[in-house]
Amino acid sequence: MKNIHKGLIASVAVASVLSLTACGSGGTNDKSTTSPNATGSSDAPTPQSITISYPADHQSFDPTKTVTAIDGAMFGQIGGRLTSLTIDGKIENELADTITMSDDFTSAIVTLKSGLKFSDGTEIKPSDVAATFTRDMKVDGSTIASLTANFKAVTATDSEVKFEFVAPFPSFPSAIAADGAMIFPEAGLAQGDSFFDNPISAGLYKLDGAWSGNSIKLVANDNFFDGKAPYQEITFTSLADSNAVVSQMKSGQIQFSADLPPSYLEQFKGTDVATSFAPGFGFYDLRLNNRVAPFNDANVRNAINLGIDREALVSQIWQGNNEVQGGFWPRTLSGYDAKYNTARDVEGAKALLKGTECENGCTVKLMYSEADFPFANQVVLLVQNQLKDIGINIELDSVDQPTLIDRLVSGDFQMAPGANNSGGAFPDKLINDALLSSSGISAEFTGYNSPEMDALVKKVVNSNGSAREAAEQEVGALFEKDRPFVTYATRVRGQASSLPADKIAIVGSSLVIAADK
Amino acid sequence: MGTRALRRIASRVGQSLVTVFVVCTLVFAMIRLIPGDPVLQILGNEASPESIKALRSQLHLDGSLLQQYGSYLSDLLHGNLGASLIQRGRPVSEIISSSVTSTLTIALFGLLLGVLVGMIAGIWGAVTRRKVVNVGVQAFSILAYATPTFLFALLLVLVVALMWGLLPAGGWPGGFVQSLPYAILPAIALGVNLAPKFLRPVRQEAIDVQDTLFMEAAISRGLPRRKLNLSHVLPNSLLPLVTLVGISLGGLLTNAVIVEAVFGIPGLGSELSKAVAQRDYPVIQGITLLMSVTVIVGNLLAETMYQFVDPRARVQ
């Protein structure tokens, strides 16, 4: 009997050790394998067929009806757009030959390159562009409304497309590079919703059949006007479980994976999978409900700003492979100013709390959802620990994601970790969503309402060049004073890849595959 | 089968229909009582009061609960499970049909494996005279029963797929034949967890059968041991399997959800968990309806079959 006991104990012990190895993020911190821009090697042989995984689910091939990252990534490959993002982060004309903005930025004339074809071989005409954007503008509850709300009318002649805007829109050339701003044939759109079961556009790839299980195949579009696809076939697969992604990458079933949690990237150490964090055009923040105590007091909000240790957050969550952010603008946008990345100042925070509701300590509820961020648990525990030092006691309030969104929208919270970002290297969406009092999400859900900031937001969005840069600096300064929420790091997206980094990478918030030219 | 038995089966079918109706109503009400709005899930940061109102109306979520329930029941009676809110208009029946193959494949293979292992090991453990086999069977039973399915599934991925490279680490390419290699590890994970549930009752039944008078009579007639086991012990020990298979369907489907997650299989379980996380009401309703009908029909079949295979049940 003793021997049986020993055998059982040994089996359980082995099982436990193996399971911990399989489940855990494991290992020590080694920056050499999880470093920014360390993805892939150009010398690696190029496979003909690759598989890309995203944790998000497919919603629709209609860009006005989806917000998920996997749909955005597919739109980036199958969609022909007037402008597009290159793999080195630049915006360049794609289908557009010229884009001429009016002097007051209230209209733009776009001409198309000659000989352009959709993936079915039909010619791309200006009327297709006008039909696409006119249809996008009319869709109720559109998920690309932040772009199309800028348009008053889009009309076409035989040779050009005219965009008229409701207000000056200098970011137009950058904004239309968004994944969802793809062009469809007018005749296809006339078919109604059924067209989007298998839409036709003019990207580097085209759809090859429908979803099979959680996967769908794209094949090279031979009618693409500007080079050849580096991979003949791409399979997009939606895979929510990060452990499953890691296993399938290690076994070679998946070659590129986006949006993996930071702690999982460490599991690729010692493999041929390179990992990196692609900086996006946004930030991670702590949303403070400005409508309710104690965060209706700017001094308490500023005390939180001084009380958190950004270096520790970045070091713990991204193992140092991200950068701290203390101001409004992320390092990827032009308004960025490093002077706002202040170090932790516990005494300064305590001084700010004098005369506030939290002078002798206070308790605040921090609402979060594990599904919102893969590292939500880490953030809330670290913040809870850090704010204890300035007398703010954090009570954690864990909810599921739909509840989180409900309560954020209705303002039923005190504090919550969050993130926001712009669709590209232009400030419009970020500043509108995060600071404008009339934005759909009430200034990053905080309820912040400053007429002065509203005016500055309009100034940034409606201006260009040095005038915009000056306005961005003013926004940065006012944000520092009012501190409606607390930023702590630049928004990044974890990627793991066994493919060359000059062929496929996440740039900002888009998946970019470079054509062979 | 007598009239009495038929009446009894008809009564059970009626009870099952009532149970399905209650399940439908409860699921409909419960998912709407918990916080979370599918419209906000869809719109994300693009939500504005106008877009929320427009989309809610477009998705027919602006009517009263009673109106929505009435329309759901009416659709259901016409065989229409509705359309997904999140996958914008995709019929629920299409979502189910595209995901049910993988779930059914791994569940059926898992069940088959569980039954075979449970049956063979149970009878072997009962009839063997070798103590080491008996102890081994019991140890397997305890270990397999105590090891959580996800843990065993992860071990299979780690050892069989990653260390030995014998089978895929997960995924589901679609198409029955191409997907078979992808079903092996998930089916083993399910089957091994299920086997002890069959093993122990079969073993106990086999031990009991060996103590019966007809076995003593057979032994005294000098029947060889192999024939005794095959002709008398085996058939008489399998009776519990009929009911156990029906009863295990619920647990099997629950475990399939876990196994699908570990192996990244796009089955009913993963569709259901996604739908719950996104408050996709029609998909939740459709899949829970299917799962509850499966369990109810499984139990009903088990009960009915028992009447056929065991004469004592008919007499009682």
Side-chain angles (χ1 to χ4, degrees), chain A residues 4 18-19 23 57-59 65 67 140-141 143 145-146 212-214 239 241 244 247-248 251 253 400 402-403 405-406 420 429 440, chain B residues 36-37 40-43 46-47 58 86-88 135 151 154-155 157 162 169-171 174 182 261-264 266 274 277 279:
Chain A
I4 297 166
L18 286 174
S19 70
C23 296
D57 294 312
H58 166 67
Q59 284 183 336
K65 290 184 176 173
V67 288
D140 278 336
T143 51
S146 59
S212 169
N214 58 346
L239 208 45
D241 188 273
S247 306
Q248 292 186 36
S251 68
Q253 288 171 249
D400 76 340
T403 309
I405 296 175
D406 255 19
N420 209 324
K429 189 171 183 324
Chain B
D37 184 345
L40 295 176
Q41 291 289 309
I42 293 167
L43 289 172
E46 299 282 349
Q58 206 181 91
I86 304 293
Q87 298 180 44
R88 305 303 289 277
V135 170
L151 178 62
L154 283 170
L155 286 173
V157 171
L162 295 183
Y182 294 79
V262 173
F263 289 96
K274 277 185 317 198
R279 303 291 190 266

Short mmCIF file of all heavy atoms in Angstrom, two decimals, chain A residues 4 18-19 23 57-59 65 67 140-141 143 145-146 212-214 239 241 244 247-248 251 253 400 402-403 405-406 420 429 440, chain B residues 36-37 40-43 46-47 58 86-88 135 151 154-155 157 162 169-171 174 182 261-264 266 274 277 279:
data_model
loop_
_atom_site.label_atom_id
_atom_site.label_comp_id
_atom_site.label_asym_id
_atom_site.label_seq_id
_atom_site.Cartn_x
_atom_site.Cartn_y
_atom_site.Cartn_z
N ILE A 4 1.99 2.10 -3.39
CA ILE A 4 0.92 2.73 -4.19
C ILE A 4 0.82 4.21 -3.83
O ILE A 4 0.72 5.07 -4.69
CB ILE A 4 -0.42 2.01 -3.94
CG1 ILE A 4 -0.31 0.57 -4.41
CG2 ILE A 4 -1.56 2.71 -4.66
CD1 ILE A 4 -1.42 -0.30 -3.93
N LEU A 18 4.22 19.80 -14.30
CA LEU A 18 4.02 19.98 -15.75
C LEU A 18 2.91 20.98 -16.03
O LEU A 18 3.01 21.82 -16.91
CB LEU A 18 3.70 18.64 -16.41
CG LEU A 18 4.88 17.68 -16.55
CD1 LEU A 18 4.40 16.35 -17.08
CD2 LEU A 18 5.95 18.26 -17.46
N SER A 19 1.84 20.90 -15.22
CA SER A 19 0.72 21.81 -15.47
C SER A 19 1.13 23.24 -15.19
O SER A 19 0.75 24.16 -15.92
CB SER A 19 -0.47 21.44 -14.61
OG SER A 19 -0.20 21.74 -13.27
N CYS A 23 0.76 26.15 -17.73
CA CYS A 23 -0.16 27.27 -17.51
C CYS A 23 0.55 28.59 -17.35
O CYS A 23 0.11 29.62 -17.84
CB CYS A 23 -0.97 27.06 -16.24
SG CYS A 23 -2.02 25.65 -16.30
N ASP A 57 -13.10 38.15 -32.06
CA ASP A 57 -13.98 37.39 -32.94
C ASP A 57 -14.40 38.22 -34.14
O ASP A 57 -14.47 39.44 -34.06
CB ASP A 57 -15.25 36.98 -32.21
CG ASP A 57 -14.95 36.02 -31.11
OD1 ASP A 57 -14.22 35.07 -31.38
OD2 ASP A 57 -15.41 36.26 -29.99
N HIS A 58 -14.72 37.52 -35.20
CA HIS A 58 -15.26 38.19 -36.38
C HIS A 58 -16.68 38.66 -36.08
O HIS A 58 -17.45 37.95 -35.43
CB HIS A 58 -15.26 37.19 -37.54
CG HIS A 58 -16.08 37.61 -38.72
ND1 HIS A 58 -15.74 38.69 -39.49
CD2 HIS A 58 -17.22 37.11 -39.24
CE1 HIS A 58 -16.65 38.82 -40.46
NE2 HIS A 58 -17.56 37.88 -40.32
N GLN A 59 -17.00 39.85 -36.53
CA GLN A 59 -18.38 40.33 -36.39
C GLN A 59 -19.05 40.47 -37.75
O GLN A 59 -20.14 40.00 -37.97
CB GLN A 59 -18.42 41.68 -35.67
CG GLN A 59 -18.21 41.57 -34.17
CD GLN A 59 -18.31 42.90 -33.48
OE1 GLN A 59 -18.11 43.95 -34.07
NE2 GLN A 59 -18.60 42.87 -32.20
N LYS A 65 -20.13 47.86 -39.34
CA LYS A 65 -20.82 47.00 -38.36
C LYS A 65 -19.87 46.18 -37.50
O LYS A 65 -20.26 45.13 -36.97
CB LYS A 65 -21.78 46.06 -39.10
CG LYS A 65 -22.98 46.77 -39.70
CD LYS A 65 -23.94 45.80 -40.33
CE LYS A 65 -25.16 46.56 -40.83
NZ LYS A 65 -26.05 45.71 -41.60
N VAL A 67 -16.30 46.29 -34.70
CA VAL A 67 -15.23 47.03 -34.02
C VAL A 67 -14.08 46.09 -33.65
O VAL A 67 -13.15 46.50 -32.98
CB VAL A 67 -15.74 47.70 -32.72
CG1 VAL A 67 -16.63 48.87 -33.03
CG2 VAL A 67 -16.45 46.72 -31.81
N ASP A 140 -27.14 53.70 -39.95
CA ASP A 140 -27.48 54.01 -38.56
C ASP A 140 -26.62 53.17 -37.63
O ASP A 140 -26.43 51.98 -37.85
CB ASP A 140 -28.96 53.67 -38.29
CG ASP A 140 -29.87 54.77 -38.77
OD1 ASP A 140 -29.41 55.92 -38.87
OD2 ASP A 140 -31.04 54.47 -39.06
N GLY A 141 -26.12 53.77 -36.57
CA GLY A 141 -25.31 53.04 -35.60
C GLY A 141 -24.02 52.54 -36.20
O GLY A 141 -23.53 51.47 -35.83
N THR A 143 -20.18 51.91 -36.95
CA THR A 143 -19.00 51.85 -36.09
C THR A 143 -17.83 52.65 -36.66
O THR A 143 -16.75 52.64 -36.07
CB THR A 143 -18.58 50.39 -35.87
OG1 THR A 143 -18.47 49.77 -37.15
CG2 THR A 143 -19.59 49.65 -35.03
N ALA A 145 -18.50 55.90 -37.46
CA ALA A 145 -19.14 57.22 -37.47
C ALA A 145 -18.15 58.33 -37.14
O ALA A 145 -18.31 59.47 -37.59
CB ALA A 145 -20.29 57.23 -36.48
N SER A 146 -17.11 58.02 -36.34
CA SER A 146 -16.16 59.09 -35.99
C SER A 146 -15.44 59.61 -37.24
O SER A 146 -14.98 60.74 -37.26
CB SER A 146 -15.15 58.60 -34.96
OG SER A 146 -14.45 57.52 -35.47
N SER A 212 -14.70 29.00 -41.88
CA SER A 212 -14.83 27.58 -41.60
C SER A 212 -14.38 27.41 -40.16
O SER A 212 -13.19 27.55 -39.86
CB SER A 212 -13.95 26.79 -42.55
OG SER A 212 -13.88 25.47 -42.13
N GLY A 213 -15.30 27.16 -39.27
CA GLY A 213 -14.96 27.13 -37.85
C GLY A 213 -14.54 28.52 -37.44
O GLY A 213 -15.25 29.49 -37.69
N ASN A 214 -13.34 28.61 -36.85
CA ASN A 214 -12.87 29.94 -36.43
C ASN A 214 -11.83 30.50 -37.39
O ASN A 214 -11.03 31.36 -37.03
CB ASN A 214 -12.29 29.86 -35.01
CG ASN A 214 -11.15 28.89 -34.91
OD1 ASN A 214 -10.95 28.07 -35.81
ND2 ASN A 214 -10.40 28.95 -33.84
N LEU A 239 -8.72 33.08 -32.00
CA LEU A 239 -8.36 32.15 -30.93
C LEU A 239 -8.26 32.94 -29.62
O LEU A 239 -7.32 33.71 -29.43
CB LEU A 239 -7.01 31.51 -31.29
CG LEU A 239 -6.68 30.14 -30.77
CD1 LEU A 239 -7.83 29.18 -30.91
CD2 LEU A 239 -5.47 29.59 -31.50
N ASP A 241 -8.07 31.83 -26.39
CA ASP A 241 -7.27 31.31 -25.29
C ASP A 241 -5.78 31.50 -25.59
O ASP A 241 -5.24 30.92 -26.53
CB ASP A 241 -7.58 29.83 -25.07
CG ASP A 241 -6.92 29.30 -23.83
OD1 ASP A 241 -5.75 28.86 -23.92
OD2 ASP A 241 -7.54 29.35 -22.77
N ALA A 244 -3.59 28.42 -25.83
CA ALA A 244 -3.75 27.70 -27.10
C ALA A 244 -2.93 28.39 -28.19
O ALA A 244 -2.31 27.72 -29.02
CB ALA A 244 -5.22 27.65 -27.49
N SER A 247 0.76 27.46 -27.66
CA SER A 247 1.02 26.07 -28.07
C SER A 247 1.09 25.97 -29.59
O SER A 247 1.99 25.33 -30.14
CB SER A 247 -0.09 25.15 -27.60
OG SER A 247 -0.30 25.28 -26.24
N GLN A 248 0.12 26.61 -30.26
CA GLN A 248 0.06 26.46 -31.72
C GLN A 248 1.16 27.25 -32.41
O GLN A 248 1.58 26.89 -33.51
CB GLN A 248 -1.33 26.88 -32.21
CG GLN A 248 -2.40 25.89 -31.74
CD GLN A 248 -3.76 26.17 -32.32
OE1 GLN A 248 -3.90 26.59 -33.46
NE2 GLN A 248 -4.79 25.94 -31.52
N SER A 251 4.21 24.99 -31.99
CA SER A 251 4.18 23.80 -32.85
C SER A 251 4.20 24.17 -34.33
O SER A 251 4.16 23.30 -35.20
CB SER A 251 2.93 22.96 -32.55
OG SER A 251 1.77 23.66 -32.95
N GLN A 253 1.92 25.85 -36.07
CA GLN A 253 0.63 25.95 -36.75
C GLN A 253 0.24 27.40 -37.02
O GLN A 253 -0.50 27.68 -37.94
CB GLN A 253 -0.47 25.29 -35.89
CG GLN A 253 -0.38 23.77 -35.85
CD GLN A 253 -1.34 23.20 -34.83
OE1 GLN A 253 -0.93 22.67 -33.81
NE2 GLN A 253 -2.62 23.29 -35.09
N ASP A 400 -17.77 41.62 -14.97
CA ASP A 400 -17.48 41.12 -16.31
C ASP A 400 -17.55 42.28 -17.32
O ASP A 400 -18.02 43.37 -16.98
CB ASP A 400 -18.38 39.94 -16.70
CG ASP A 400 -19.79 40.36 -17.06
OD1 ASP A 400 -20.19 41.46 -16.68
OD2 ASP A 400 -20.48 39.57 -17.74
N PRO A 402 -19.24 43.20 -20.16
CA PRO A 402 -20.45 43.96 -20.48
C PRO A 402 -20.94 44.83 -19.33
O PRO A 402 -21.40 45.95 -19.54
CB PRO A 402 -21.47 42.85 -20.80
CG PRO A 402 -20.66 41.70 -21.23
CD PRO A 402 -19.43 41.75 -20.40
N THR A 403 -20.79 44.32 -18.10
CA THR A 403 -21.18 45.12 -16.94
C THR A 403 -20.28 46.35 -16.82
O THR A 403 -20.74 47.45 -16.52
CB THR A 403 -21.08 44.26 -15.66
OG1 THR A 403 -21.79 43.06 -15.87
CG2 THR A 403 -21.64 44.99 -14.46
N ILE A 405 -18.75 47.95 -19.19
CA ILE A 405 -19.11 48.96 -20.20
C ILE A 405 -20.41 49.67 -19.80
O ILE A 405 -20.51 50.90 -19.87
CB ILE A 405 -19.23 48.31 -21.60
CG1 ILE A 405 -17.86 47.78 -22.02
CG2 ILE A 405 -19.72 49.31 -22.63
CD1 ILE A 405 -17.86 47.01 -23.31
N ASP A 406 -21.38 48.89 -19.35
CA ASP A 406 -22.65 49.48 -18.89
C ASP A 406 -22.41 50.54 -17.83
O ASP A 406 -22.95 51.64 -17.89
CB ASP A 406 -23.51 48.37 -18.26
CG ASP A 406 -24.63 47.95 -19.16
OD1 ASP A 406 -24.53 48.22 -20.36
OD2 ASP A 406 -25.59 47.34 -18.66
N ASN A 420 -7.20 54.29 -24.43
CA ASN A 420 -7.84 54.95 -25.57
C ASN A 420 -6.77 55.16 -26.63
O ASN A 420 -5.59 55.25 -26.32
CB ASN A 420 -8.43 56.30 -25.15
CG ASN A 420 -9.64 56.65 -26.01
OD1 ASN A 420 -9.66 56.35 -27.20
ND2 ASN A 420 -10.63 57.27 -25.40
N LYS A 429 -9.35 61.44 -33.30
CA LYS A 429 -10.21 60.51 -32.58
C LYS A 429 -9.85 60.47 -31.09
O LYS A 429 -10.73 60.49 -30.22
CB LYS A 429 -10.10 59.10 -33.19
CG LYS A 429 -11.12 58.15 -32.62
CD LYS A 429 -11.16 56.86 -33.36
CE LYS A 429 -12.22 55.91 -32.85
NZ LYS A 429 -12.46 55.91 -31.44
N GLY A 440 -19.09 60.77 -27.45
CA GLY A 440 -19.98 59.64 -27.18
C GLY A 440 -19.64 58.95 -25.88
O GLY A 440 -20.51 58.39 -25.23
N GLY B 36 -25.33 44.48 -18.62
CA GLY B 36 -24.61 44.32 -19.89
C GLY B 36 -25.53 44.54 -21.05
O GLY B 36 -26.64 44.01 -21.06
N ASP B 37 -25.06 45.33 -22.01
CA ASP B 37 -25.90 45.72 -23.14
C ASP B 37 -25.19 45.36 -24.44
O ASP B 37 -24.10 45.85 -24.70
CB ASP B 37 -26.12 47.24 -23.05
CG ASP B 37 -27.08 47.73 -24.12
OD1 ASP B 37 -27.34 46.99 -25.08
OD2 ASP B 37 -27.54 48.88 -24.00
N LEU B 40 -23.95 48.31 -26.60
CA LEU B 40 -22.69 48.97 -26.19
C LEU B 40 -21.50 48.10 -26.57
O LEU B 40 -20.42 48.61 -26.89
CB LEU B 40 -22.70 49.24 -24.69
CG LEU B 40 -23.75 50.24 -24.21
CD1 LEU B 40 -23.72 50.37 -22.70
CD2 LEU B 40 -23.51 51.61 -24.85
N GLN B 41 -21.68 46.79 -26.54
CA GLN B 41 -20.61 45.89 -26.96
C GLN B 41 -20.28 46.11 -28.43
O GLN B 41 -19.12 46.09 -28.83
CB GLN B 41 -21.04 44.43 -26.79
CG GLN B 41 -21.18 43.97 -25.37
CD GLN B 41 -19.84 43.84 -24.70
OE1 GLN B 41 -18.94 43.20 -25.22
NE2 GLN B 41 -19.68 44.47 -23.57
N ILE B 42 -21.31 46.31 -29.23
CA ILE B 42 -21.10 46.46 -30.67
C ILE B 42 -20.46 47.81 -30.98
O ILE B 42 -19.50 47.90 -31.76
CB ILE B 42 -22.45 46.33 -31.43
CG1 ILE B 42 -22.99 44.92 -31.31
CG2 ILE B 42 -22.29 46.71 -32.90
CD1 ILE B 42 -24.44 44.77 -31.75
N LEU B 43 -20.97 48.85 -30.35
CA LEU B 43 -20.52 50.20 -30.74
C LEU B 43 -19.18 50.58 -30.13
O LEU B 43 -18.45 51.39 -30.71
CB LEU B 43 -21.59 51.23 -30.36
CG LEU B 43 -22.87 51.18 -31.19
CD1 LEU B 43 -23.92 52.10 -30.61
CD2 LEU B 43 -22.57 51.58 -32.64
N GLU B 46 -17.52 54.08 -30.25
CA GLU B 46 -18.32 54.86 -31.21
C GLU B 46 -19.73 55.11 -30.67
O GLU B 46 -20.57 55.66 -31.37
CB GLU B 46 -18.41 54.12 -32.55
CG GLU B 46 -17.09 53.88 -33.23
CD GLU B 46 -16.54 55.12 -33.93
OE1 GLU B 46 -17.28 56.09 -34.07
OE2 GLU B 46 -15.36 55.09 -34.33
N ALA B 47 -19.98 54.66 -29.43
CA ALA B 47 -21.33 54.81 -28.88
C ALA B 47 -21.66 56.27 -28.62
O ALA B 47 -20.86 57.00 -28.05
CB ALA B 47 -21.44 54.02 -27.57
N GLN B 58 -32.73 49.00 -34.55
CA GLN B 58 -32.39 48.11 -35.67
C GLN B 58 -32.36 46.64 -35.23
O GLN B 58 -32.74 45.75 -35.97
CB GLN B 58 -31.01 48.53 -36.17
CG GLN B 58 -30.72 48.22 -37.61
CD GLN B 58 -29.31 48.67 -37.94
OE1 GLN B 58 -28.36 47.91 -37.81
NE2 GLN B 58 -29.15 49.92 -38.35
N ILE B 86 -24.33 40.26 -32.31
CA ILE B 86 -22.93 40.68 -32.43
C ILE B 86 -22.38 40.36 -33.82
O ILE B 86 -21.69 41.18 -34.42
CB ILE B 86 -22.06 40.00 -31.34
CG1 ILE B 86 -22.61 40.30 -29.95
CG2 ILE B 86 -20.60 40.42 -31.45
CD1 ILE B 86 -22.53 41.71 -29.47
N GLN B 87 -22.68 39.16 -34.31
CA GLN B 87 -22.21 38.81 -35.66
C GLN B 87 -23.23 39.31 -36.68
O GLN B 87 -23.54 38.64 -37.66
CB GLN B 87 -22.01 37.30 -35.78
CG GLN B 87 -20.93 36.79 -34.82
CD GLN B 87 -20.74 35.29 -34.94
OE1 GLN B 87 -20.68 34.73 -36.03
NE2 GLN B 87 -20.60 34.62 -33.83
N ARG B 88 -23.75 40.44 -36.43
CA ARG B 88 -24.67 41.23 -37.22
C ARG B 88 -25.50 40.47 -38.25
O ARG B 88 -25.19 40.46 -39.45
CB ARG B 88 -23.92 42.39 -37.86
CG ARG B 88 -23.16 43.23 -36.89
CD ARG B 88 -24.04 43.81 -35.78
NE ARG B 88 -24.93 44.84 -36.25
CZ ARG B 88 -24.59 46.12 -36.41
NH1 ARG B 88 -23.37 46.52 -36.09
NH2 ARG B 88 -25.45 47.00 -36.83
N VAL B 135 -5.23 -3.09 -8.48
CA VAL B 135 -4.75 -1.84 -7.87
C VAL B 135 -4.52 -0.79 -8.97
O VAL B 135 -4.86 0.39 -8.81
CB VAL B 135 -3.45 -2.11 -7.07
CG1 VAL B 135 -2.81 -0.79 -6.64
CG2 VAL B 135 -3.77 -2.95 -5.85
N LEU B 151 -6.50 20.40 -16.94
CA LEU B 151 -5.12 20.08 -16.59
C LEU B 151 -4.61 18.94 -17.46
O LEU B 151 -3.52 18.99 -18.03
CB LEU B 151 -5.07 19.70 -15.11
CG LEU B 151 -3.73 19.28 -14.55
CD1 LEU B 151 -2.74 20.42 -14.66
CD2 LEU B 151 -3.87 18.86 -13.10
N LEU B 154 -4.05 20.17 -20.95
CA LEU B 154 -2.79 20.93 -21.08
C LEU B 154 -1.59 20.00 -21.11
O LEU B 154 -0.63 20.21 -21.86
CB LEU B 154 -2.65 21.92 -19.92
CG LEU B 154 -3.49 23.19 -20.01
CD1 LEU B 154 -3.43 23.96 -18.70
CD2 LEU B 154 -3.01 24.08 -21.14
N LEU B 155 -1.65 18.95 -20.28
CA LEU B 155 -0.54 17.97 -20.27
C LEU B 155 -0.43 17.27 -21.62
O LEU B 155 0.68 17.05 -22.12
CB LEU B 155 -0.77 16.93 -19.17
CG LEU B 155 -0.53 17.41 -17.74
CD1 LEU B 155 -0.96 16.36 -16.74
CD2 LEU B 155 0.93 17.76 -17.55
N VAL B 157 -1.27 18.52 -24.52
CA VAL B 157 -0.69 19.49 -25.46
C VAL B 157 0.81 19.55 -25.27
O VAL B 157 1.60 19.46 -26.23
CB VAL B 157 -1.31 20.90 -25.26
CG1 VAL B 157 -0.56 21.93 -26.08
CG2 VAL B 157 -2.78 20.90 -25.64
N LEU B 162 3.66 19.19 -28.18
CA LEU B 162 4.87 20.04 -28.23
C LEU B 162 6.17 19.27 -28.04
O LEU B 162 7.13 19.48 -28.76
CB LEU B 162 4.76 21.17 -27.19
CG LEU B 162 3.63 22.17 -27.43
CD1 LEU B 162 3.65 23.28 -26.40
CD2 LEU B 162 3.73 22.77 -28.84
N ALA B 169 -1.30 20.74 -31.85
CA ALA B 169 -1.50 21.29 -30.51
C ALA B 169 -2.90 21.87 -30.34
O ALA B 169 -3.27 22.26 -29.24
CB ALA B 169 -0.45 22.36 -30.23
N GLY B 170 -3.64 21.95 -31.39
CA GLY B 170 -4.99 22.51 -31.29
C GLY B 170 -5.45 22.99 -32.64
O GLY B 170 -4.79 22.76 -33.65
N GLY B 171 -6.60 23.67 -32.63
CA GLY B 171 -7.14 24.19 -33.89
C GLY B 171 -8.16 23.24 -34.48
O GLY B 171 -8.39 22.14 -33.95
N GLY B 174 -11.53 22.41 -40.16
CA GLY B 174 -12.83 22.33 -40.85
C GLY B 174 -12.80 21.18 -41.83
O GLY B 174 -11.75 20.84 -42.37
N TYR B 182 -7.05 16.44 -35.39
CA TYR B 182 -7.20 17.50 -34.40
C TYR B 182 -8.18 17.10 -33.29
O TYR B 182 -8.27 17.77 -32.28
CB TYR B 182 -7.70 18.79 -35.07
CG TYR B 182 -6.70 19.38 -36.04
CD1 TYR B 182 -6.54 18.86 -37.32
CD2 TYR B 182 -5.89 20.45 -35.65
CE1 TYR B 182 -5.61 19.39 -38.20
CE2 TYR B 182 -4.96 20.99 -36.53
CZ TYR B 182 -4.83 20.45 -37.80
OH TYR B 182 -3.90 20.98 -38.67
N ALA B 261 -11.73 25.25 -25.25
CA ALA B 261 -10.93 26.45 -24.95
C ALA B 261 -9.44 26.11 -24.98
O ALA B 261 -8.63 26.83 -25.58
CB ALA B 261 -11.32 27.02 -23.60
N VAL B 262 -9.07 24.98 -24.35
CA VAL B 262 -7.64 24.62 -24.28
C VAL B 262 -7.07 24.35 -25.67
O VAL B 262 -5.96 24.75 -26.00
CB VAL B 262 -7.45 23.37 -23.37
CG1 VAL B 262 -6.01 22.89 -23.42
CG2 VAL B 262 -7.86 23.69 -21.95
N PHE B 263 -7.85 23.69 -26.52
CA PHE B 263 -7.36 23.33 -27.84
C PHE B 263 -7.74 24.34 -28.93
O PHE B 263 -7.44 24.12 -30.11
CB PHE B 263 -7.87 21.93 -28.23
CG PHE B 263 -7.24 20.81 -27.44
CD1 PHE B 263 -7.86 20.29 -26.34
CD2 PHE B 263 -6.00 20.31 -27.80
CE1 PHE B 263 -7.29 19.29 -25.59
CE2 PHE B 263 -5.40 19.30 -27.06
CZ PHE B 263 -6.05 18.79 -25.95
N GLY B 264 -8.38 25.42 -28.52
CA GLY B 264 -8.76 26.44 -29.50
C GLY B 264 -9.69 25.90 -30.57
O GLY B 264 -9.52 26.21 -31.75
N PRO B 266 -13.25 25.74 -32.40
CA PRO B 266 -14.44 26.59 -32.53
C PRO B 266 -15.72 25.78 -32.44
O PRO B 266 -16.41 25.58 -33.42
CB PRO B 266 -14.28 27.19 -33.93
CG PRO B 266 -13.51 26.17 -34.69
CD PRO B 266 -12.63 25.44 -33.72
N LYS B 274 -18.40 32.92 -25.76
CA LYS B 274 -18.26 34.23 -26.42
C LYS B 274 -19.58 34.99 -26.36
O LYS B 274 -19.63 36.18 -26.08
CB LYS B 274 -17.89 34.03 -27.90
CG LYS B 274 -16.42 33.81 -28.12
CD LYS B 274 -16.04 33.74 -29.58
CE LYS B 274 -16.93 32.96 -30.48
NZ LYS B 274 -16.36 32.55 -31.76
N ALA B 277 -20.19 36.41 -22.98
CA ALA B 277 -19.31 37.56 -22.72
C ALA B 277 -19.74 38.79 -23.50
O ALA B 277 -19.41 39.91 -23.12
CB ALA B 277 -17.87 37.19 -23.05
N ARG B 279 -23.03 39.25 -24.50
CA ARG B 279 -24.49 39.38 -24.32
C ARG B 279 -25.22 39.24 -25.65
O ARG B 279 -26.09 40.03 -25.98
CB ARG B 279 -24.85 40.73 -23.68
CG ARG B 279 -24.19 40.98 -22.35
CD ARG B 279 -24.74 40.05 -21.27
NE ARG B 279 -24.28 40.45 -19.95
CZ ARG B 279 -23.21 39.96 -19.33
NH1 ARG B 279 -22.47 39.03 -19.92
NH2 ARG B 279 -22.88 40.36 -18.13
#
